[in-house]
Amino acid sequence: MLDFNIRGENVEVTPAIREYVEKKVEKLERYFTEGVNATANVNLKVYSDKQTKVEITIPMKNLTLRAEERHNDMYAAVDLIVDKLERQIRKYKTRVNRKSREREGVAAFFQSVDGNNTQELEDDVEFDVVRTKQFDLKPMDQEEAILQMNMLGHSFFIFTDADSDGTHIVYKRKDGKYGLIETN
C-alpha cells in the first residue's frame, strides 16, 4: 500500500491535485507484491515562468524509483512521470530476468510484476559496457575536483577527499549547480 507525502513549492496542493496525483501513482501498485509498504514522496514546483516541475521518489527496501518531469501543465507532467516510473520498473524486471537472478530482494520483487508485457520486455535495451577505464584517485578537495571535471568536460568526477581520505563524486546538476556524493 502506497502512502503519499505531497509537498508544493510556490503552489497550493489542492484536494483536486492531491486526488489526481494519488489516483495516477496508485496505478503503479499493480507491479508490487501485496503488502508492499512504501511512501511516495511527491514534490510539485511552479516557477516564475509558469513552468511546473514534478518529482516523485518511492524508496523501498531494495530499490528506489525516482523520476522528475517539467511541463507547462502540472497534470500532464504527472502523467508523463508515471509513464517514466512504469518504464523503470519494466527495465529493472527485464534486467533481473535476463540475468536469471533467483535471490531474495530485487528478484523476488520483480517476480510479482505483471507478466503481460513479456515480449515487450525481451526487446528492451541491453546494458553493454563498451569501454572500461582505470585510474588512480588523486587526493584533492571539492573545488579542485570540480575544476578537474570542468577541464575534462565531464558531468561527474571521482576523487579521494584529501581531508577524510574517502572516495567522493562531484557532479554537475541540470540546474548548473554542483552536487557531491560521499561514500561510507
Side-chain angles (χ1 to χ4, degrees), residues 34-46:
E34 52 187 89
V36 163
N37 291 320
T39 300
N41 298 302
V42 182
N43 292 326
L44 309 170
K45 293 182 183 181
V46 176

Side-chain angles (χ1 to χ4, degrees), residues 35-143:
V36 163
N37 291 320
T39 300
N41 298 302
V42 182
N43 292 326
L44 309 170
K45 293 182 183 181
V46 176
Y47 296 101
S48 58
D49 62 354
K50 303 299 182 198
Q51 181 91 12
T52 65
K53 179 179 174 183
V54 178
E55 300 174 356
I56 298 180
T57 306
I58 305 174
M60 293 178 282
K61 183 179 177 185
N62 296 306
L63 175 70
T64 298
L65 298 172
R66 185 183 188 291
E68 65 180 58
E69 188 67 47
R70 287 179 180 246
H71 201 280
N72 291 334
D73 178 16
M74 185 175 302
Y75 292 96
V78 171
D79 292 342
L80 292 169
I81 208 166
V82 169
D83 291 343
K84 278 185 179 181
L85 291 170
E86 283 183 317
R87 283 193 306 273
Q88 282 182 19
I89 292 170
R90 287 195 304 265
K91 186 184 293 185
Y92 284 123
K93 180 184 182 230
T94 300
R95 188 179 343 166
V96 170
N97 287 343
R98 194 172 284 142
K99 299 293 183 185
S100 299
R101 294 181 193 152
E102 295 299 327
R103 58 180 164 81
E104 289 298 312
V106 178
F109 168 80
F110 285 114
Q111 287 175 351
S112 68
V113 174
D114 182 18
N116 295 338
N117 299 321
T118 307
Q119 185 58 42
E120 176 185 329
L121 297 175
E122 297 296 323
D123 298 334
D124 214 353
V125 178
E126 292 278 335
F127 295 102
D128 294 329
V129 175
V130 295
R131 184 174 181 190
T132 302
K133 282 186 172 184
Q134 293 181 350
F135 57 93
D136 294 323
L137 297 179
K138 177 184 166 197
M140 60 181 75
D141 62 15
Q142 295 172 23
E143 286 185 31

Side-chain angles (χ1 to χ4, degrees), residues 138 140-159 169-172 178-179:
K138 177 184 166 197
M140 60 181 75
D141 62 15
Q142 295 172 23
E143 286 185 31
E144 186 178 351
I146 291 171
L147 290 171
Q148 289 286 329
M149 175 182 68
N150 288 336
M151 285 191 319
L152 293 169
H154 291 174
S155 57
F156 70 94
F157 189 80
I158 303 171
F159 67 101
I169 302 165
V170 291
Y171 62 95
K172 191 161 192 162
Y178 298 98

